[in-house]
Every structure is written in C-alpha cells, then in structure tokens.
Amino acid sequence: MRWTWIDRFVAFESGKSATAVKNLSLAEDHFADHFPGFPVMPAPLILEGLAQTGGILVGEARQYRENVVLAKMSNVKLHRDALAGEQLTYTTTLIDLNDTGARVAATARSGSDLVVEGEILFAHANPSQLPPGLPDTKFVFNGELTHLLRMAAAVSKPPAAGG
C-alpha cells in the first residue's frame, strides 16, 4: 500500500472494534488542490482511512491468514467537510465475520461532529483470486502498516505492573 491514511490507533479491541486518528495537516499535498483557498480533505481519502482502520480490524480478527480486500461501501453519508487543521477519529465496529469476509460499521468524526458514516464490506481473497502478478504476501498487512499494527498491539496491552 502506498499511502496510509491513519496516523495511529488510539483503541483496539480484538475482534470487536478499532479507533484510529488522522491529523489533517495543511502540509499534505492534496490540500493544495482540493480546494485552493478552502483546504478540504477529499471524501474518498476519508473513506480510505475508514477502510484501512476496518481492514486491519478484520485482518487481526483472523490472525492475518487471508488477504482482506475492500469489496463495497454502503449507506455512506457525508455529513460535512473535513478541513485542514482538524483531527479525524475513525471508528470501526465489527458486525459480521465469516470465512468469506466481514462487515463493519464505520464513522469518522472531528471532535463531536459526525463527518462520515457507513458500512464497509470486506472479502477474504485466496491466492487464486488475486490479480495476476500480485504475490500472495498478505499485501495489506506489510510495509507501512506493520508499524501501525505494532502501535495497535501496544495500545491494546495493559501497562506493566508498577509502571
């Protein structure tokens, strides 16, 4: 994955829910073009951050055995723009999980304001279902996301006794 739209996880309950944040810095390239003089986070990038948060939740629930592929987003509602300088909180909650895929409820908020809500469906892909030339390396769960997963594990562990 080339771009990660999550800065860090702030809560992670295995098999249940995940919460991540994304700081919307004016220094990010997309704000220069979207829109000049009124820097707005493009809605597809907000949705991608939600999908990454939910995809990691689904992958971890299955011990990263399969590739998790975004299949569909449904009932998506954009309530307001997200502006440079804000912090988005992505929250995903596992609704269904089985051998073929998963469904999560997802919201993005800025403070107490609801920015986006919807449901995300993921499919589990085996090697024969992957595009030609794409190695079966659990492609979502490598590279930059490895760092985020370590952070998620640190968030979900209770502090050591006495410290």
Side-chain angles (χ1 to χ4, degrees):
M1 179 179 311
R2 184 169 178 192
W3 291 285
T4 304
W5 296 103
I6 302 168
D7 290 333
R8 63 187 168 92
F9 281 89
V10 294
F12 197 94
E13 190 172 355
S14 181
K16 294 186 179 180
S17 64
T19 303
V21 294
K22 171 65 177 148
N23 295 305
L24 305 184
S25 169
L26 191 54
E28 294 178 81
D29 292 341
H30 56 272
F31 283 124
D33 297 324
H34 199 269
F35 295 101
F38 186 67
V40 175
M41 177 77 159
L45 299 184
I46 297 170
L47 295 173
E48 178 63 27
L50 282 170
Q52 290 175 4
T53 304
I56 292 169
L57 173 65
V58 170
E60 190 276 340
R62 304 269 300 178
Q63 293 79 46
Y64 306 107
R65 290 188 305 261
E66 302 97 359
N67 284 299
V68 176
V69 179
L70 173 63
K72 177 182 175 180
M73 292 187 164
S74 59
N75 303 317
V76 173
K77 294 178 183 149
L78 179 62
H79 293 276
R80 73 165 184 84
D81 291 327
L83 307 173
E86 293 183 315
Q87 181 183 71
L88 291 180
T89 301
Y90 299 129
T91 302
T92 57
T93 304
L94 196 58
I95 298 170
D96 297 312
L97 175 66
N98 58 45
D99 289 341
T100 60
R103 181 170 56 120
V104 302
T107 61
R109 294 184 179 278
S110 176
S112 62
D113 291 347
L114 183 60
V115 176
V116 175
E117 65 181 320
E119 286 188 358
I120 306 172
L121 291 114
F122 296 96
H124 294 132
N126 65 44
S128 67
Q129 296 168 311
L130 296 176
L134 188 65
D136 179 32
T137 58
K138 311 300 180 267
F139 58 93
V140 172
F141 306 114
N142 65 15
E144 292 178 33
L145 287 182
T146 302
H147 175 70
L148 289 173
L149 295 172
R150 281 192 207 110
M151 290 173 54
V155 166
S156 65
K157 289 181 185 174

